[in-house]
């Protein structure tokens, strides 16, 4: 025989409820009653079923209930005998319904209304606040101490009893529903009311309909709770149970405001509720049956899950992949210099501060940025890389912060999500930050300080949570002194500096990196001792990027044995000190340019050569065509590098770069600069 425990606050009330149930079910199960005090002293309850009178009872005894016990929340109402005493109240009378809280008041009023007591106007009162003093009658279920002093007639109907809903529910769980319905149910109906929940009415008591609804809500990704008209939880899905597990492992049978007291059933607005386990977004909508409210559907969403889904949708809207594919394990080299840098970067990844990566072109700044992102707590979210030098100044703001539809000519229909929005919860990598125009630096600083962005043409701030990793091959502190970079922004970005050593300072890493690059190209090359010596003693001004270009060049030759004659021209030898001094003594604009920009002199030479050729043919090359021509002639450059070179040459006055699509044009000063550079090459100063 199954065993059933009945639990209430006081022993007397527990006995009362137990007798309500046992009177009709003692031949199906053995019953025992407990007060809260008894349970606190007892060991674990091991009965097959534990019947609880209220939510607060469950909260107090939850630790003492065995996981094998099934919990049943009793549905309570006034019995027919209790209702009889109310018939002497004249029709149309107004009375206070007094109970210990507003929810209990409304529950009792609803039960009385459902039981047929509709000839009275009942107003809830729970021991506090003012009331209409013309009312002289009060009705209370054993809470007479809360009745206000001005009341002259009190009807104490006694404690609420178990209703027929609970009896049928218990019989169903015991597996004796048919037998109970055929015998004891008729007798019980003579004493207790069958308080039909609105959901039963709505579903027309059809079991198949309830099963279908149960199946449907189980398939939904959100937490779903369905209540009846009294707010009692009727159906739930597993997602809702999981999200609310910290508050209650049992939901069905409790009142929704016992589980979610913050929720306002009368409002359709979303409510953010903080729990120890998660931040929840909740909302409620009415279920209507004709003119009556039959219940509510409450949806519960995990805020973090919702953000993650929204994050994924932002990426899809941008039609681009923003994934960081590199990890620290992908960084090659056993030299002490690179190993220390990796160690420093791992420590930086554990923090959430802004990172400034400093290093020459081709050292792998983005490789480190991606690795830091993938080792951080933001790795589940986007890594958005922005090359500040590759995007035209007039588009950089709208790309960074997004724009609204119609904000400018050519704006996409529906607007566009900016890089910062795409990077929400993740990382934004601002490469070549030194190329960012000063006006945009001011806006970036504001975004970093306020953690909000406003789209171009928009009028609302959008909250963002991003980590900034910036990179530069320039001396930003000098740019700050020269007024080319904002000092306040510099200190905002340079919280966690990371310096990447150039390849020439870790030459023992050259061959391991070269071998790895060759393997990735599925090639098998053997270097002669002379070519090994040439590679390891070369200065590698282009760093790992230049080494990769050389590897690709050698693989393209289709040879297995590589001698020095197969190597591409390795330029950028260290400039002799005497030549540098000579240049300083006779300093001209050309000399100053070579001194200041000598590290990238081969790039400038390649650009000037192509511009001279286009000038001789009376042609003009746009940036893309210029890039194609340079790389066709053995260059290995990006659009950003070409754009930067054109900007630098124009600022010194060696070329003219008109606005629009006219293309850049070399002038006499530019031709002279090219002649000087080529003479230096011939003398061995630059190559």
């Amino acid at each position: 025989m199954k065993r059933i425990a009945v639990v209430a606050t006081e022993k007397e009330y527990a006995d009362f409820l137990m007798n309500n149930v046992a009177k009709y079910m003692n031949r199906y199960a053995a019953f025992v009653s407990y007060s809260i005090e008894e349970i606190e002293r007892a060991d674990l309850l091991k009965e097959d079923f534990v019947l609880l009178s209220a939510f607060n009872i469950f909260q107090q005894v939850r630790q003492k209930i065995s996981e094998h016990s099934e919990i049943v929340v009793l549905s309570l109402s006034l019995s027919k005998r209790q209702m009889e005493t109310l018939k002497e109240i004249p029709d149309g009378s107004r009375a206070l319904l007094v109970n210990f809280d507003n929810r209990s008041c409304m529950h009792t009023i609803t039960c009385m209304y459902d039981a047929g007591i509709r000839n009275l106007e009942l107003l809830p009162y729970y021991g506090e606040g003012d009331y209409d003093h013309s009312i002289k009658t009060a009705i209370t279920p054993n809470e007479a101490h809360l009745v206000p002093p001005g009341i002259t007639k009190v009807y104490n109907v006694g404690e609420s009893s178990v209703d027929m809903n609970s009896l049928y529910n218990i019989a169903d769980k015991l597996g004796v529903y048919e037998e109970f319905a055929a015998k004891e149910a008729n007798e019980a109906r003579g004493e207790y009311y069958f308080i039909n929940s609105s959901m039963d009415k709505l579903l027309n008591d059809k079991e198949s309909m309830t099963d279908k609804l149960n199946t449907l809500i189980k398939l939904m990704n959100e937490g779903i709770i369905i209540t009846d008209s009294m707010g009692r939880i009727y159906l739930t899905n597993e997602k809702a149970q999981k999200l609310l597990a910290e508050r209650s492992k049992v939901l069905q049978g409790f009142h929704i405001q016992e589980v979610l007291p913050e929720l306002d059933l009368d409002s359709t607005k979303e409510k953010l509720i903080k729990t120890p386990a998660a931040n929840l977004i909740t909302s409620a909508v009415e279920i209507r049956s004709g003119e009556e409210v039959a219940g509510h559907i409450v949806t519960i969403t995990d805020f973090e899950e919702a953000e993650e889904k929204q994050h994924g949708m932002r990426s899809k809207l941008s039609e681009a992949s923003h994934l960081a594919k590199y990890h620290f394990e992908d960084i090659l080299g056993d030299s002490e210099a690179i190993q220390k840098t990796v160690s420093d970067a791992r420590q930086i990844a554990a923090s959430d501060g802004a990172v400034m990566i400093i290093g020459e072109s081709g050292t792998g700044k983005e490789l480190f940025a991606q690795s830091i992102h993938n080792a951080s707590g933001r790795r589940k979210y986007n890594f958005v890389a922005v090359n500040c030098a590759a995007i035209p100044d007039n588009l950089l703001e709208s790309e960074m912060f997004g724009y609204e539809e119609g904000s400018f000519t050519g704006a996409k229909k529906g607007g566009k999500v900016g890089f910062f929005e795409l990077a929400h919860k993740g990382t934004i990598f601002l490469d070549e930050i030194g190329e960012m125009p000063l006006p945009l630096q001011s806006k970036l600083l504001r975004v970093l300080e306020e953690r909000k962005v406003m789209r171009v043409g928009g009028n609302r701030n959008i909250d963002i949570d991003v980590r900034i990793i910036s990179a530069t091959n320039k001396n930003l502190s000098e740019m700050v002194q020269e007024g080319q970079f904002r000092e306040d922004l510099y200190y905002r970005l340079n919280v966690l500096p990371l310096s990447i050593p150039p390849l020439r300072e870790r030459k023992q890493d050259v061959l391991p990196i070269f071998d790895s690059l060759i393997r990735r190209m599925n090639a098998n090359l053997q270097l002669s001792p002379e070519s090994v010596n040439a590679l390891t003693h070369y200065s590698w001004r282009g760093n790992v990027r230049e080494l990769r270009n050389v590897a690709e060049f050698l693989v393209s030759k289709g040879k297995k044995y590589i001698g020095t004659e197969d190597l591409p021209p390795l330029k950028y030898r260290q400039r002799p000190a005497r030549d540098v001094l000579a240049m300083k003594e006779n300093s001209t604009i050309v000399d100053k340019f070579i001194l200041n920009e000598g590290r990238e002199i081969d790039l400038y030479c390649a650009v000037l050569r192509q511009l001279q050729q286009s000038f001789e043919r009376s042609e003009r090359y746009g940036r893309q065509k210029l890039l194609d021509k340079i790389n066709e002639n053995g260059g290995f450059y990006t659009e950003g590098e070409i754009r930067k070179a054109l900007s630098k040459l124009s600022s010194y006055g060696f070329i003219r770069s008109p606005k629009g699509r006219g293309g850049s044009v070399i002038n006499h000063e530019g031709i002279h600069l090219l002649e000087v550079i080529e003479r230096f090459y011939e003398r061995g100063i630059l190559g």
Side-chain angles (χ1 to χ4, degrees):
M1 181 176 282
K2 298 289 186 181
R3 295 175 302 155
I4 297 178
V6 182
V7 184
T9 306
E10 303 294 335
K11 178 69 171 176
E12 185 180 356
Y13 191 40
D15 288 338
F16 173 75
L17 295 176
M18 181 186 71
N19 291 331
N20 284 174
V21 180
K23 181 177 179 180
Y24 301 101
M25 292 195 166
N26 56 7
R27 72 191 187 97
Y28 304 116
F31 290 84
V32 61
S33 65
Y34 294 98
S35 67
I36 293 295
E37 186 179 347
E38 287 176 321
I39 286 184
E40 288 175 348
R41 295 196 306 264
D43 294 328
L44 204 64
L45 292 184
K46 296 181 180 179
E47 282 77 11
D48 299 290
F49 298 94
V50 179
L51 311 185
L52 303 176
S53 61
F55 181 74
N56 65 320
I57 301 292
F58 168 72
Q59 294 292 67
Q60 289 177 275
V61 304
R62 60 192 300 181
Q63 303 300 328
K64 291 293 186 82
I65 300 176
S66 167
E67 61 180 20
H68 303 295
S69 301
E70 185 171 350
I71 296 171
V72 178
V73 184
L74 293 170
S75 176
L76 305 175
S77 69
L78 299 177
S79 68
K80 291 183 178 180
R81 179 180 54 79
Q82 291 170 304
M83 294 287 192
E84 283 294 320
T85 61
L86 303 178
K87 289 185 177 179
E88 63 183 70
I89 304 175
D91 288 353
S93 296
R94 302 173 74 219
L96 297 182
L97 194 289
V98 180
N99 213 331
F100 56 85
D101 62 20
N102 185 62
R103 186 194 63 78
S104 300
C105 288
M106 298 309 298
H107 175 78
T108 305
I109 291 171
T110 304
C111 289
M112 291 171 64
Y113 183 83
D114 210 13
I117 308 296
R118 305 184 182 186
N119 58 333
L120 305 177
E121 183 181 349
L122 301 173
L123 293 90
Y125 183 83
Y126 37 97
E128 59 184 43
D130 201 7
Y131 69 98
D132 186 345
H133 290 272
S134 66
I135 299 174
K136 300 300 179 181
T137 303
I139 302 167
T140 181
N142 229 23
E143 300 290 345
H145 62 286
L146 297 176
V147 175
I151 299 297
T152 57
K153 182 65 175 177
V154 178
Y155 292 87
N156 189 345
V157 294
E159 299 282 7
S160 296
S161 306
V162 178
D163 69 13
M164 284 300 299
N165 295 70
S166 286
L167 294 179
Y168 277 125
N169 187 26
I170 296 165
D172 185 48
K173 291 183 180 298
L174 290 171
V176 296
Y177 184 90
E178 297 297 333
E179 188 177 353
F180 172 78
K183 296 181 180 179
E184 289 87 353
N186 285 332
E187 184 183 348
R189 279 180 179 274
E191 182 173 355
Y192 303 126
Y193 285 107
F194 187 92
I195 307 298
N196 289 313
S197 78
S198 296
M199 288 307 302
D200 284 329
K201 292 177 182 177
L202 191 65
L203 298 174
N204 201 25
D205 278 336
K206 291 183 179 177
E207 193 173 325
S208 61
M209 184 70 78
T210 307
D211 289 342
K212 288 178 182 177
L213 185 58
N214 246 323
T215 302
L216 178 63
I217 67 172
K218 282 179 182 177
L219 295 174
M220 300 185 72
N221 292 324
E222 294 177 309
I224 302 293
I225 293 177
I226 298 179
T227 75
D228 61 19
S229 60
M230 293 184 286
R232 187 177 291 270
I233 296 173
Y234 189 86
L235 290 175
T236 66
N237 63 357
E238 290 181 10
K239 185 68 173 180
Q241 292 165 9
K242 180 181 177 182
L243 292 174
L244 295 172
E246 288 290 324
R247 292 195 170 184
S248 177
K249 292 182 180 178
V250 178
L251 299 177
Q252 200 162 328
F254 290 132
H255 195 280
I256 185 65
Q257 289 187 336
E258 291 174 322
V259 182
L260 289 169
E262 305 94 335
L263 183 65
D264 182 4
L265 289 175
D266 296 327
S267 173
T268 57
K269 292 183 178 179
E270 289 186 335
K271 176 85 174 179
L272 181 62
I273 297 175
K274 296 182 178 181
T275 72
N279 296 320
L280 307 177
I281 305 170
T282 62
S283 63
V285 294
E286 292 180 347
I287 302 171
R288 287 196 164 268
S289 179
E291 295 298 318
E292 294 184 8
V293 176
H296 288 83
I297 297 177
V298 178
T299 59
I300 309 171
T301 307
D302 186 310
F303 180 80
E304 297 299 326
E305 286 184 11
E307 276 225 320
E308 196 165 338
K309 288 179 183 176
Q310 187 184 51
H311 192 74
M313 293 308 296
R314 283 174 176 166
S315 296
K316 289 180 181 178
L317 285 171
S318 72
E319 299 178 352
S321 174
H322 297 285
L323 299 175
K325 61 180 180 178
Y326 294 114
H327 299 75
F328 285 121
E329 292 73 21
D330 297 313
I331 299 173
L332 302 175
D334 297 321
S335 65
E336 183 179 348
I338 197 64
Q339 288 299 311
K340 183 182 184 305
T341 306
V342 170
S343 177
D344 292 344
R346 287 185 186 276
Q347 291 181 343
I348 285 172
S351 171
D352 205 37
V355 183
M356 174 74 76
I357 302 177
I358 304 160
E360 298 176 5
S361 278
T363 50
K365 294 187 288 293
E366 183 166 354
L367 175 63
F368 271 88
Q370 291 192 22
S371 300
I372 290 170
H373 171 80
N374 278 330
S376 74
R378 298 175 178 268
R379 56 186 168 273
K380 293 192 301 182
Y381 298 94
N382 281 349
F383 175 88
V384 180
V386 184
N387 189 323
C388 300
I391 303 174
D393 293 356
N394 61 330
L395 293 180
L396 191 54
E397 180 182 358
S398 60
E399 292 296 314
M400 291 270 279
F401 307 133
Y403 58 80
E404 298 292 351
E405 180 178 340
S407 55
F408 54 85
T409 303
K412 282 185 180 179
K413 186 176 182 180
K416 186 176 181 180
V417 176
F419 292 136
F420 270 91
E421 285 184 68
L422 284 172
H424 181 58
K425 305 292 284 186
T427 303
I428 189 166
F429 175 54
L430 303 178
D431 197 9
E432 298 196 60
I433 187 69
E435 300 297 325
M436 181 174 286
L438 277 169
L440 194 57
Q441 290 179 29
S442 302
K443 294 183 179 180
L444 175 60
L445 179 64
R446 187 178 184 87
V447 168
L448 297 183
E449 289 177 341
E450 297 183 358
R451 296 285 175 178
K452 298 176 186 293
V453 295
M454 183 181 290
R455 293 183 181 179
V456 174
N459 56 9
R460 66 185 180 93
N461 284 317
I462 301 168
D463 292 324
I464 54 152
D465 173 17
V466 298
R467 183 182 196 178
I468 305 282
I469 300 179
S470 52
T472 182
N473 58 8
K474 293 190 172 185
N475 189 327
L476 289 188
S477 60
E478 287 185 4
M479 292 181 67
V480 168
Q481 293 176 3
E482 295 169 2
Q484 297 176 12
F485 200 86
R486 288 185 64 110
E487 183 176 14
D488 43 9
L489 178 60
Y490 172 71
Y491 289 117
R492 270 281 189 177
L493 296 175
N494 195 31
V495 177
L496 298 170
L498 180 70
S499 181
I500 304 178
L503 195 54
R504 63 181 172 275
E505 293 180 8
R506 51 186 185 105
K507 290 188 176 179
Q508 62 267 48
D509 292 335
V510 170
L511 289 181
I513 295 174
F514 180 83
D515 291 339
S516 175
L517 292 169
I518 294 299
R519 286 196 301 272
R520 289 179 188 176
M521 298 175 202
N522 296 316
N524 183 18
L525 300 182
Q526 182 181 354
L527 299 174
S528 70
E530 293 78 16
S531 58
V532 167
N533 185 64
L535 292 177
T536 53
H537 286 83
Y538 177 52
S539 61
W540 296 110
R541 298 297 294 274
N543 293 291
V544 178
R545 181 183 294 132
E546 186 181 7
L547 180 58
R548 183 180 65 243
N549 293 344
V550 169
E552 290 177 354
F553 176 82
L554 295 176
V555 169
S556 69
K557 295 178 77 71
K559 297 177 66 175
K560 287 193 174 182
Y561 186 81
I562 302 298
T564 53
E565 69 278 4
D566 299 309
L567 296 176
L570 299 177
K571 299 179 181 179
Y572 306 116
R573 288 210 307 270
Q574 186 65 37
R575 188 183 297 124
R578 64 179 183 276
D579 293 308
V580 175
L581 292 172
M583 287 169 124
K584 287 183 177 178
E585 289 173 2
N586 301 293
S587 182
T588 66
I589 188 66
V590 170
D591 298 330
K592 287 179 180 178
F593 181 84
I594 294 173
L595 279 170
N596 293 335
E597 311 299 334
R599 289 168 59 181
E600 304 286 345
I601 203 68
D602 199 46
L603 167 62
Y604 296 117
C605 183
V607 170
L608 290 169
R609 280 174 180 163
Q610 290 301 322
L611 290 179
Q612 184 186 38
Q613 291 177 19
S614 67
F615 179 76
E616 291 170 352
R617 298 191 189 100
S618 299
E619 297 176 353
R620 287 194 178 186
Y621 292 163
R623 189 164 62 239
Q624 185 59 51
K625 187 174 181 180
L626 182 63
L627 172 66
D628 294 340
K629 287 284 186 182
I630 291 171
N631 287 341
E632 283 172 10
N633 287 275
F636 299 100
Y637 300 108
T638 65
E639 183 181 354
E641 289 173 315
I642 299 300
R643 179 174 175 270
K644 183 171 69 174
L646 291 172
S647 175
K648 188 66 68 175
L649 289 167
S650 178
S651 67
Y652 273 86
F654 295 123
I655 64 172
R656 184 166 52 86
S657 296
K659 293 183 178 180
R661 298 180 176 271
S664 298
V665 180
I666 193 170
N667 56 26
H668 293 297
E669 289 79 6
I671 294 172
H672 175 57
L673 170 62
L674 179 59
E675 291 172 349
V676 171
I677 292 173
E678 289 178 335
R679 283 202 303 271
F680 281 148
Y681 277 142
E682 291 171 4
R683 292 167 56 191
I685 296 175
L686 298 175

